[in-house]
Amino acid sequence: EAQVTQNPRYLITVTGKKLTVTCSQNMNHEYMSWYRQDPGLGLRQIYYSMNVEVTDKGDVPEGYKVSRKEKRNFPLILESPSPNQTSLYFCASRPRSNQPQHFGDGTRLSIL
Amino acid sequence: DAKTTQPPSMDCAEGRAANLPCNHSTISGNEYVYWYRQIHSQGPQYIIHGLKNNETNEMASLIITEDRKSSTLILPHATLRDTAVYYCIVRVGGTSYDKVIFGPGTSLSVIP
């Protein structure tokens, strides 16, 4: 089944403790993105990648890192999480620039 | 950046057509219009997209005005399961970047 898989789905952690949210797609898509969703603010793009080893900032990249060492994986790294990064996160992938995105089921992060 | 505006909320009677409008007056000639929906906090689900011609698939129809400054998503026979937030987006991108901007969307309530 074609899908975008995020892990974990839920995480409660503390300020400053490094964490990684994994994202994997099995559709051989070139483009991948990370979004965060907060009440009243909609989905905002954090980072995107157009190919292996090619990443770029979206609208809200501060406090996040990403890597794209292989086509299927696009992890989101929070080196020193803070409470303002408490949010619902979505990973997405697409095959070509004008094709629609496929979204994962989301990861709900709570930073205490 | 091309952005979209949508009404914040709409109601539709079950079994009737739901017509969701979207304005994208600054759209460029090679930018596509995409529609997604999000049910509760699930990952956004792709519905339909188009460039300048009207499009139809098993879920919905997309009507784009001739000047491309607005579009309408039509759900022909709305059901209770169509209650969701609907997002109209225009892809802001080219060959070197892939930014995607989501607005707040339209919250559609289908009423029995």
Side-chain angles (χ1 to χ4, degrees):
Chain A
E1 178 187 353
Q3 58 187 3
V4 177
T5 303
Q6 297 179 224
N7 280 296
R9 293 292 314 282
Y10 305 91
L11 179 63
I12 301 174
T13 187
V14 296
T15 298
K17 185 176 180 181
K18 181 180 177 179
L19 68 91
T20 299
V21 184
T22 63
C23 174
S24 180
Q25 50 94 4
N26 62 359
M27 296 168 280
N28 201 37
H29 288 172
E30 289 188 336
Y31 294 69
M32 298 186 74
S33 286
W34 274 104
Y35 298 86
R36 63 178 288 174
Q37 185 172 31
D38 304 291
L41 295 176
L43 284 99
R44 294 180 292 169
Q45 193 177 33
I46 303 171
Y47 269 95
Y48 63 90
S49 169
M50 299 176 72
N51 212 330
V52 174
E53 302 293 359
V54 179
T55 63
D56 210 342
K57 298 177 181 179
D59 285 334
V60 288
E62 295 76 20
Y64 304 95
K65 287 175 58 177
V66 293
S67 69
R68 188 93 182 273
K69 293 184 169 55
E70 48 192 344
K71 186 181 276 192
R72 65 182 293 126
N73 295 323
F74 190 45
L76 179 70
I77 303 157
L78 286 70
E79 294 269 3
S80 183
S82 63
N84 64 11
Q85 293 177 298
T86 292
S87 188
L88 178 60
Y89 291 85
F90 291 102
C91 180
S93 72
R94 72 164 95 216
R96 292 187 306 276
S97 63
N98 288 325
Q99 294 301 307
Q101 296 183 93
H102 299 250
F103 283 83
D105 290 333
T107 295
R108 191 170 290 280
L109 287 184
S110 294
I111 316 295
L112 305 178
Chain B
D1 293 351
K3 291 184 179 155
T4 63
T5 55
Q6 301 175 251
S9 63
M10 294 181 64
D11 292 338
C12 178
E14 188 178 17
R16 304 296 293 270
N19 296 285
L20 292 87
C22 179
N23 288 318
H24 30 79
S25 58
T26 60
I27 192 170
S28 299
N30 60 350
E31 290 177 329
Y32 284 71
V33 179
Y34 300 83
W35 283 84
Y36 295 82
R37 72 180 183 185
Q38 186 176 28
I39 299 172
H40 298 300
S41 295
Q42 298 175 18
Q45 175 190 24
Y46 165 74
I47 302 173
I48 198 167
H49 74 290
L51 182 63
K52 54 184 177 183
N53 298 319
N54 298 338
E55 302 286 346
T56 295
N57 63 20
E58 65 278 5
M59 289 182 68
S61 294
L62 174 61
I63 308 298
I64 302 174
T65 58
E66 192 167 341
D67 63 7
R68 302 209 326 122
K69 293 185 177 182
S70 66
S71 60
T72 301
L73 176 74
I74 301 172
L75 307 178
H77 306 287
T79 70
L80 299 179
R81 288 179 298 178
D82 292 322
T83 292
V85 177
Y86 287 77
Y87 298 100
C88 165
I89 69 168
V90 173
R91 181 183 165 266
V92 179
T95 56
S96 61
Y97 62 101
D98 192 39
K99 282 195 172 183
V100 178
I101 300 174
F102 278 81
T106 295
S107 179
L108 175 69
S109 296
V110 179
I111 302 167

